[in-house]
Amino acid sequence: MATHLKSRKAHGNPVGNQSPLLKRAQQHWELGIKCAKAGNWAQAQAAFLKACQDKPDDPVYLLNLARAQMKLGLIGQAHCTAVSVLALAPDNLIARDIAADCLGLQNRHGERADFLQQAPAHVPRTAEYYQDLGEALFNASRHEQAIGALFQGLALKIDHALSHYRMGLSFNSLGLKQEATECLRTALTLGLGPGDLAAQSLVTFMEHELCRWQHAKSDLQALHRLVANLPEDARAWAAVFAQVTLTDDPADQLRVARSCARYMARAVEPFEPVAPRPVGQRLRLGFVSADFHQHATAVLMAEVFEKLDRQRFEVTLYSHGPDDGSPMRSRLEHSTEHFVDVAKVSDHEVAQRVRQDGIEVLVDLKGHTRDARLGIFAYRPAPVQVSFLGFPGTTGADYIDYFIGDAIVSPLDQAAHYSEKLALLPHCYQPNDRQRPKPQPCTRAQAGLPDDALVLCGFNQPFKLSPEVFDVWCRLLHQLPGSVLWLLQWNEQAPVQLRAEAAARGVDPSRLYFAPKVDIAQHMSRFALADIFIDTWPCNAHTTASDALWAGVPVVTVMGASFASRVAASLLHAVGLPQLATDSVADYEAKVLELALDADQRQTLRHHLVQARDVSPLFDSEGYTRDFGQLLWRMAERWSQGLPADHLS
């Protein structure tokens, strides 16, 4: 889209023989053009607004006003201005583009899709039109319609790589992961340019979700090549979550995260910095997330919000996710003084709201996970900005000041692999909710397990599995004839694949048991039936590991180099069982065998964990919240004293 519109005659507006009012409007418009060329969009907007006041029925004046409003982040106003142009000139394609873009920027994706579908007959139905429609439908979670729209676009331009890519995303959202991988591989074959890294990360991740490992080695090699060739100053979309869960190279993870963080800030002009000032009696905290409903992040954070000292903290939750009507949503809405729904508000307008609310420490709980909106933070609305909990690694964003971890998951000697300064809690970084259900009596028969078997439990999601992990698990089954492997049935495809993989390794597939999804109370009760929780690498169990420990099940893990590969070790230290965190795969395998062959030791560990619910730092919600609040105060005090962010150990 052009930066500004100059043509007057094209819209049937002669510039000669004008009345004084029209001449004044023309002068204001010309001044606006001059200011726009100089990049002074505030003055340009003021000039265009005056031109429109003098001649409110001129589409060119209005279109330039809408463009200036978009440049200033006034997305709602720009949308209204573009709609007013369409009321005057229904055939104006530029106004339609602006109106559609504004709906997307406000996260009003369903309305954007409807608007595009209702376009009059004269609007060209090009491949690009169907691509935009498919994107809007995908973002509105109308995935079947999105696939239909993208198919129509491909009928016009079969080699349109981005349409294949987006169709893969929609198939994935429908749970049709095999179809999704085919679309992504087609997109890679056609070439997405800077988007190849995201597509390769996603296809590798999805193949792991399906436990289809025939391409695992070559896919990871292709991913490593793309990361190695990523320029130091890259600014491209990337599937950063896939990168941190599939690999254990923190330097590569930082490189990919930086590229994506730059991409999300590409069109952002940060606000003026907040001048240092003394912190008041109450520190103003803001938390931003799409997960303020029944979600793992909400489960972990709920009690922290409830226990933060109201005399020391004023807390606002900014929710940009759905309201699922769950008890957890209601609990969160009542856990703090302010709960603000910003789901259909642009990043710029959310940032403005944060600045107006006087937030001093703003915490992002999403990072590079689905539905994240790091773009809000790119505006620098708060003087101290923090990444915490939702993403197991660095954001790579120079607009995030601190990353909250602990001495095990993010030790200071790994600081070079973080774009943020490290702020370390004294125990485990992960909060826990003491209101989670405790295990209730449950029999193995009720859970579909054999009564006399040694149950090795691996309830991690299948994307955390790999041929290397499964090799070790099958060796354990060979060495423990009376054992079974108990897994969660996350999707329909994984059980078939894993039974075939077990058979290929000489293990009877009937020794694999799959637990269906149930509610959290039932899950915690059946979880306690396991004898040992065997962890994965390079991405450990996170919330699942704390669930296992809460259920009284000992966890054996192996520590790697990255944050995601050290979480279970941090949990074990905080619950008083550091000896179950091993440093190598060989030690991991030996430790599992040791516990498997020693029922008394397992019983001692189980007794320890039951007591730990009341005495360990891991489950001490009040102590955790106190430490967490003190850490946020330390960040704010450095800012208030005019000091830059620095590591807080």
Side-chain angles (χ1 to χ4, degrees):
M1 188 184 299
T3 301
H4 38 261
L5 300 172
K6 297 181 180 179
S7 172
R8 311 295 305 123
K9 294 181 179 179
H11 291 269
N13 296 297
V15 297
N17 301 318
Q18 294 177 328
S19 68
L21 186 64
L22 295 183
K23 286 182 179 179
R24 188 174 67 184
Q26 178 78 11
Q27 290 169 352
H28 288 312
W29 177 75
E30 290 173 352
L31 175 61
I33 295 293
K34 183 178 179 180
C35 293
K37 285 182 177 179
N40 191 334
W41 290 102
Q43 290 186 20
Q45 182 208 18
F48 291 141
L49 185 59
K50 289 178 180 178
C52 292
Q53 290 169 345
D54 288 338
K55 197 170 190 302
D57 59 348
D58 190 300
V60 172
Y61 293 166
L62 287 166
L63 284 172
N64 278 287
L65 175 60
R67 184 62 176 164
Q69 289 167 334
M70 287 190 75
K71 283 287 187 179
L72 292 170
L74 305 174
I75 307 303
Q77 294 180 34
H79 177 255
C80 292
T81 303
V83 169
S84 68
V85 174
L86 291 173
L88 296 169
D91 293 346
N92 193 301
L93 297 182
I94 296 176
R96 293 199 66 82
D97 286 344
I98 293 176
D101 288 346
C102 288
L103 289 171
L105 289 168
Q106 294 177 92
N107 298 292
R108 295 162 62 183
H109 302 297
E111 294 174 65
R112 181 183 179 219
D114 293 341
F115 180 79
L116 291 170
Q117 288 175 316
Q118 294 162 7
H122 73 274
V123 174
R125 264 55 172 186
T126 61
E128 289 74 17
Y129 165 85
Y130 287 113
Q131 176 191 330
D132 289 346
L133 177 58
E135 179 189 28
L137 290 164
F138 168 80
N139 288 329
S141 297
R142 290 154 59 176
H143 299 294
E144 291 183 0
Q145 294 179 52
I147 291 168
L150 292 166
F151 263 125
Q152 287 181 282
L154 289 170
L156 298 173
K157 188 171 176 54
I158 190 61
D159 61 349
H160 197 262
L162 193 55
S163 290
H164 288 282
Y165 173 81
R166 289 199 169 120
M167 194 154 57
L169 299 183
S170 280
F171 275 125
N172 183 49
S173 295
L174 291 171
L176 301 171
K177 296 184 182 297
Q178 296 184 45
E179 292 82 354
T181 59
E182 291 173 13
C183 292
L184 292 172
R185 291 194 187 280
T186 300
L188 284 165
T189 299
L190 293 170
L192 288 160
D196 281 347
L197 177 58
Q200 185 62 59
S201 299
L202 286 171
V203 77
T204 307
F205 185 86
M206 289 179 199
E207 294 284 23
H208 276 69
E209 285 186 298
L210 293 168
C211 299
R212 295 196 313 190
W213 299 327
Q214 59 266 41
H215 301 297
K217 185 175 181 179
S218 59
D219 279 338
L220 282 171
Q221 288 173 340
L223 183 58
H224 287 310
R225 284 195 300 272
L226 287 166
V227 174
N229 293 327
L230 195 66
E232 286 294 334
D233 60 348
R235 187 181 69 178
W237 177 254
V240 191
F241 182 77
Q243 185 74 31
V244 301
T245 55
L246 294 169
T247 71
D248 192 30
D249 186 332
D252 279 0
Q253 292 175 8
L254 174 59
R255 182 190 291 255
V256 174
R258 275 184 167 149
S259 175
C260 196
R262 291 189 195 105
Y263 176 84
M264 287 186 280
R266 65 195 183 283
V268 171
E269 184 175 340
F271 298 164
E272 288 295 319
V274 179
R277 63 171 184 262
V279 180
Q281 184 177 350
R282 302 174 76 208
L283 183 63
R284 293 192 182 99
L285 302 179
F287 293 85
V288 182
S289 180
D291 301 331
F292 291 138
H293 49 260
Q294 189 58 50
H295 186 278
T297 298
V299 171
L300 295 177
M301 285 299 297
E303 201 162 13
V304 174
F305 293 142
E306 292 166 343
K307 290 185 178 295
L308 278 168
D309 186 348
R310 290 295 175 270
Q311 295 187 0
R312 298 193 70 212
F313 301 99
E314 180 181 349
V315 182
T316 302
L317 304 188
Y318 298 94
S319 172
H320 56 85
D323 179 355
D324 62 353
S326 65
M328 177 57 74
R329 173 73 170 204
S330 178
R331 180 181 172 187
L332 292 168
E333 288 177 345
H334 292 89
S335 68
T336 60
E337 290 173 89
H338 312 290
F339 189 98
V340 185
D341 188 341
V342 294
K344 293 187 176 181
V345 182
S346 71
D347 288 354
H348 182 267
E349 289 163 318
V350 177
Q352 285 182 317
R353 173 65 187 265
V354 170
R355 177 62 66 91
Q356 291 164 5
D357 290 343
I359 298 299
E360 291 154 322
V361 179
L362 187 67
V363 182
D364 177 50
L365 296 174
K366 290 296 294 179
H368 291 284
T369 56
R370 185 171 180 178
D371 300 323
R373 289 176 64 180
L374 274 175
I376 294 168
F377 290 76
Y379 285 98
R380 275 278 178 186
V384 180
Q385 303 195 153
V386 184
S387 176
F388 174 56
L389 189 63
F391 181 68
T394 181
T395 62
D398 58 10
Y399 41 87
I400 300 291
D401 303 299
Y402 291 98
F403 179 95
I404 295 179
D406 62 54
I408 295 174
V409 291
S410 54
L412 289 180
D413 62 11
Q414 292 288 309
H417 297 137
Y418 291 80
S419 60
E420 310 89 349
K421 297 300 182 182
L422 297 177
L424 306 185
L425 285 161
H427 303 292
C428 181
Y429 83 98
Q430 188 189 89
N432 274 280
D433 184 7
R434 290 190 55 78
Q435 295 184 37
R436 72 199 330 160
K438 290 182 179 178
Q440 300 301 311
C442 179
T443 67
R444 285 192 169 179
Q446 288 173 317
L449 291 169
D451 284 331
D452 57 349
L454 177 83
V455 178
L456 303 177
C457 177
F459 276 177
N460 275 325
Q461 293 193 53
F463 71 79
K464 297 184 180 182
L465 297 182
S466 68
E468 294 76 19
V469 170
F470 207 65
D471 285 344
V472 174
W473 288 3
C474 286
R475 283 203 302 269
L476 289 166
L477 291 172
H478 278 298
Q479 296 173 82
L480 299 166
S483 64
V484 298
L485 180 59
W486 195 24
L487 307 170
L488 271 181
Q489 184 167 335
W490 287 94
N491 57 52
E492 294 297 323
Q493 299 92 345
V496 175
Q497 291 292 131
L498 289 174
R499 287 191 173 107
E501 292 287 348
R505 290 164 173 80
V507 172
D508 184 346
S510 67
R511 295 176 67 186
L512 273 61
Y513 288 78
F514 290 87
K517 294 180 183 179
V518 295
D519 65 55
I520 185 62
Q522 289 178 279
H523 179 60
M524 293 307 301
S525 295
R526 72 180 179 186
F527 213 149
L529 299 172
D531 290 300
I532 309 169
F533 184 91
I534 49 176
D535 200 12
T536 52
W537 66 89
C539 187
N540 294 165
H542 296 179
T543 306
T544 303
S546 59
D547 283 344
L549 297 171
W550 181 256
V553 180
V555 173
V556 180
T557 190
V558 56
M559 289 193 295
S562 63
F563 182 105
S565 68
R566 303 174 69 87
V567 170
S570 175
L571 296 167
L572 286 166
H573 277 73
V575 84
L577 296 176
Q579 70 272 25
L580 300 186
T582 65
D583 294 319
S584 69
V585 174
D587 289 345
Y588 164 93
E589 188 171 350
K591 178 59 71 173
V592 175
L593 278 174
E594 176 190 328
L595 294 183
L597 298 172
D598 191 339
D600 290 340
Q601 186 180 173
R602 294 201 307 274
Q603 185 57 41
T604 299
L605 293 172
R606 187 178 291 273
H607 179 70
H608 174 93
L609 288 171
V610 170
Q611 289 186 316
R613 293 176 192 152
D614 297 320
V615 299
S616 72
L618 182 62
F619 299 122
D620 178 7
S621 298
E622 290 191 5
Y624 179 93
T625 303
R626 184 172 57 251
D627 293 337
F628 181 69
Q630 288 174 352
L631 192 61
L632 298 179
W633 264 103
R634 290 173 66 193
M635 298 174 189
E637 285 170 348
R638 286 193 64 84
W639 159 71
S640 73
Q641 295 165 13
L643 298 174
D646 200 1
H647 301 303
L648 302 176
S649 61

